[in-house]
Amino acid sequence: MARAHKLDCEAAESGCRFIIQSENEEEAIELARNHMHEVHGKEFSDDELQDEYLQIV
């Protein structure tokens, strides 16, 4: 079974129900970084998103 990379935005920004899930880790991080910038006006590095918020499911 393939593993997916998941980021639940609520972990970083309370009240946000946006969830990113992809089998491609780079894609998941890019989508999360763009979401945080465009929706919440916050900047996160790829490493920060990967280390603190990305889960493997």
Side-chain angles (χ1 to χ4, degrees), residues 9-33:
C9 186
E10 191 168 28
E13 190 68 29
S14 67
C16 183
R17 307 295 265 175
F18 190 73
I19 296 174
I20 297 160
Q21 187 166 318
S22 174
E23 290 182 10
N24 182 314
E25 182 177 8
E26 291 175 6
E27 178 184 50
I29 292 171
E30 179 181 355
L31 291 170
R33 186 180 61 248

Side-chain angles (χ1 to χ4, degrees):
M1 175 154 77
R3 294 172 15 160
H5 302 275
K6 176 184 173 189
L7 186 136
D8 181 348
C9 186
E10 191 168 28
E13 190 68 29
S14 67
C16 183
R17 307 295 265 175
F18 190 73
I19 296 174
I20 297 160
Q21 187 166 318
S22 174
E23 290 182 10
N24 182 314
E25 182 177 8
E26 291 175 6
E27 178 184 50
I29 292 171
E30 179 181 355
L31 291 170
R33 186 180 61 248
N34 291 342
H35 170 78
M36 295 305 290
H37 175 74
E38 294 170 7
V39 176
H40 302 295
K42 295 186 176 183
E43 297 294 330
F44 285 87
S45 70
D46 290 358
D47 289 338
E48 190 174 20
L49 288 169
Q50 184 179 30
D51 294 343
E52 295 184 28
Y53 303 109
L54 196 66
Q55 303 170 354
I56 297 175
V57 293

